[in-house]
Amino acid sequence: MAQIIDLHTHSTASDGIYTPTQLLAHAKEADISILALTDHDSTDGIVEAAEAARQQGIDFIPGIEVNTDTHGGEVHVLGYFLEYERPAFQAILKVLRDARERRGQRMVELLNEQGVHVAWERVREIAQGSVGRPHVAKALLEAGYVQTIGEAFDTYIGTGCPAYVPRYKLSPEDAVRLIVSANGLPVIAHPITLPGLTELRNWLPGLRAAGLVGLETYYGPYTTQDEQALLTLANEYQLIPTGGTDFHGPGIHPTPLGGRAVPYMAVEQLKAAAAQRRGQTPPPFELPPPVAEK
Ligand SMILES: [Zn+2]
Ligand SMILES: [Zn+2]
């Protein structure tokens, strides 16, 4: 029987519902043998997750998912096998996280100005870790303003909606370089969902030059056709086809934890690439100045 592998998951260290320990317990129940934790702009869950994985007998890969914006839309960049304890790397993550927190606060302000009464304290309580839109959505749901999380996005906090606030801007190349600065392996997340294949093609040569090593191909709901298109692209740019479910908690994404088949080859290739990078002195990364949020 093939091993069950999930290389894209979230915990309460970003906008996931489960703590790292709970996540690993659920991974065990799902018979997962290899799991990567890839929280948004945070590696705070890694120590706990690694310990829980050891106890559950699961092979654990430290990861991250860095959110970026381009003119063509968002791009998310996963990073694997990070030397996450590097102080310069952590300092940059802190800046990004603080910006994310301010974004949540601004969304709550906008909601309040429009007579929608959601308390910032409550949003923070729900989030536990860094604040994301799902936490604001949950607060809206709790307060009875919407019937579902989806409705919160459609009505209030989705792109173009009255309480939408754009993110701190980091380019995809910035994200790739940031991950490389911690000797990590950058992989474009869910390329068909964001940014879309046409947009991605424009970015790939630059990203490859910046140190991109992979393309998330076996992603949650992607069809065989999607998978084929991504495999072709991965082949063209000599990128490792990786995969995972983007699990945030039950009911948030359609694919359950470990519910997408990921070939072991992906892990093998990532491990080989990581072994090459380990111990090298990575190029330093400098954060571009923040863009004013409208
Ligand atoms: Zn993502
Ligand atoms: Zn994700």
Side-chain angles (χ1 to χ4, degrees):
M1 205 183 77
Q3 296 193 66
I4 301 177
I5 297 165
D6 199 331
L7 302 180
H8 190 160
T9 68
H10 296 272
S11 77
T12 47
S14 64
D15 58 357
I17 301 295
Y18 293 138
T19 65
T21 303
Q22 289 168 338
L23 180 71
L24 267 298
H26 284 278
K28 184 70 184 174
E29 273 171 38
D31 273 330
I32 289 173
S33 57
I34 304 171
L35 182 118
L37 179 66
T38 54
D39 275 309
H40 297 285
D41 305 332
S42 171
T43 60
D44 289 356
I46 287 180
V47 171
E48 183 185 325
E51 174 54 23
R54 198 186 58 77
Q55 287 178 16
Q56 303 282 10
I58 293 172
D59 189 1
F60 178 72
I61 299 174
I64 195 166
E65 182 174 22
V66 179
N67 293 359
T68 77
D69 291 272
T70 74
H71 291 301
E74 283 179 39
V75 179
H76 294 179
V77 186
L78 296 159
Y80 294 110
F81 292 106
L82 298 153
E83 292 171 5
Y84 59 92
E85 281 160 322
R86 288 176 177 271
F89 178 70
Q90 285 301 331
I92 288 160
L93 290 188
K94 186 173 182 320
V95 172
L96 292 174
R97 257 200 318 275
D98 288 352
R100 178 181 267 270
E101 184 111 332
R102 280 200 299 279
R103 179 176 185 234
Q105 218 161 355
R106 184 68 194 128
M107 278 191 279
V108 170
E109 277 170 22
L110 286 171
L111 286 168
N112 292 166
E113 280 167 23
Q114 289 159 46
V116 176
H117 300 292
V118 166
W120 171 239
E121 285 67 34
R122 182 59 196 138
V123 175
R124 287 203 64 151
E125 263 170 36
I126 293 169
Q128 292 180 40
S130 55
V131 177
R133 282 190 294 173
H135 307 123
V136 179
K138 208 168 164 196
L140 280 162
L141 184 68
E142 265 184 14
Y145 286 103
V146 293
Q147 301 301 310
T148 63
I149 296 285
E151 193 188 335
F153 276 81
D154 292 345
T155 314
Y156 294 109
I157 56 174
T159 311
C161 291
Y164 174 74
V165 176
R167 248 191 268 270
Y168 187 92
K169 307 272 194 225
L170 204 64
S171 79
E173 280 185 35
D174 289 334
V176 165
R177 273 194 285 265
L178 171 61
I179 290 162
V180 168
S181 79
N183 275 340
L185 303 171
V187 170
I188 298 290
H190 42 66
I192 290 178
T193 318
L194 296 172
L197 280 187
T198 316
E199 192 63 27
L200 183 68
R201 278 184 186 280
N202 300 330
W203 285 89
L204 273 180
L207 295 178
R208 187 75 178 77
L212 187 73
V213 306
L215 207 55
E216 193 175 47
T217 302
Y218 310 99
Y219 179 70
Y222 284 2
T223 63
T224 314
Q225 225 172 356
D226 295 335
E227 203 177 285
Q228 221 37 56
L230 289 167
L231 278 173
T232 305
L233 210 54
N235 205 31
E236 191 180 328
Y237 287 92
Q238 295 175 339
L239 296 167
I240 302 167
T242 72
T245 61
D246 210 354
F247 183 78
H248 281 71
I252 296 180
H253 282 277
T255 318
L257 187 60
R260 176 75 200 210
V262 178
Y264 179 69
M265 175 79 91
V267 175
E268 215 168 46
Q269 288 182 302
L270 284 175
K271 282 188 172 172
Q276 273 183 1
R277 252 172 225 199
R278 202 169 299 129
Q280 308 251 0
T281 304
F285 175 79
E286 217 164 297
L287 198 62
V291 175
E293 287 188 340
K294 288 188 205 91

